[in-house]
Amino acid sequence: MNIKFEQIPLLECSDIEVKVKQVSEKGCVLLLYKTARTDYRILNKLFGLYNWKCDYKEIKGNLFCTISIYDEEKHEWIEKQNVGIESREDEEGNEKKGEASDSLKRAGFTLGIGLELYSAPFIFVKSDKVEVVKKDDKRYELKDRYEKFYVNDIEYDDDRKISYLSIVNSKKVVVYTNGRKKSTLDTKAPKEVTSDGEVVLSEVMKQKIFAKEIEEQKEDEVPYPEVKSDTAPNVLSKLTSDRLNSLYNGLTEEQKQKFIAWIQNKFNKFAIRELSEFEAILSINALEKSFAKK
């Protein structure tokens, strides 16, 4: 099977792990990496269970992994090889296991699997986003040593390089963002006109605003009397959609431009996934009050 580089799947959020590399008084440095499981999944997806294999060989004390892909056209095995590095010592003796896993991941890089990780930005989470405490006179550590971080959202440019990255902690709070989402609202085409002349918000804008359905609601927190705690998300989206269109259509041209600018700024400043339905509704309420005074 002749696979082109462009056909190798880019890593998704669930394929990428995040680890703490360094902790200082001002925050912590994070690194993105892939596990061998990701390479297995992508290799199986691209070549099937029986058209690839891996082999390990020790050369001058270093463990090398060779990934072989069977080329049906040439009727031969195509090999890619790389060397691994031992993991840190632990009480269970997993150093060699870590070396084998690392060599496979590195061999996977030579095939193009996860190469985009090398384009990751320098990820520094400031101390106002993560609690840091002094470990001794010279070193710092996270207050919660079991804190985990996850890739919340990631996008790539046409060169397969990371163009947008969002990372959350174990409480799903965004602690780091870099770049600008491709799906950021387009102010050049903020509205559409129906056949009967009605001006409505564009589908692009709606999709971004409703990107994440509300997960939990409390009846006294929702500014709609008809919305209950068990209201279906699609019903809430419809109510929000109607409210947005009603608000937009009632604005002057100058106010519409301010409205669009506000939406644009909202999505430039925060990750889309941070903007829940409830937050969107509250923002609309604030806008309505603001425009009502003008």
Side-chain angles (χ1 to χ4, degrees), residues 268-281:
N268 281 345
K269 189 175 181 181
F270 300 103
I272 295 290
R273 295 187 182 186
E274 288 184 84
L275 189 64
S276 67
E277 292 278 5
F278 181 58
E279 289 173 321
I281 293 171

Side-chain angles (χ1 to χ4, degrees), residues 7 10-11 19 39 46 55 59 70 107 142 162 197 203 210 218 221 225 244 267 284:
Q7 293 176 283
L10 291 164
L11 299 188
K19 67 179 179 181
D39 289 272
L46 287 175
D55 181 52
I59 303 175
Y70 188 71
L142 299 184
I162 297 174
E203 287 303 314
F210 308 142
K218 292 183 179 179
E221 290 182 341
L244 280 168
F267 286 104
I284 295 167

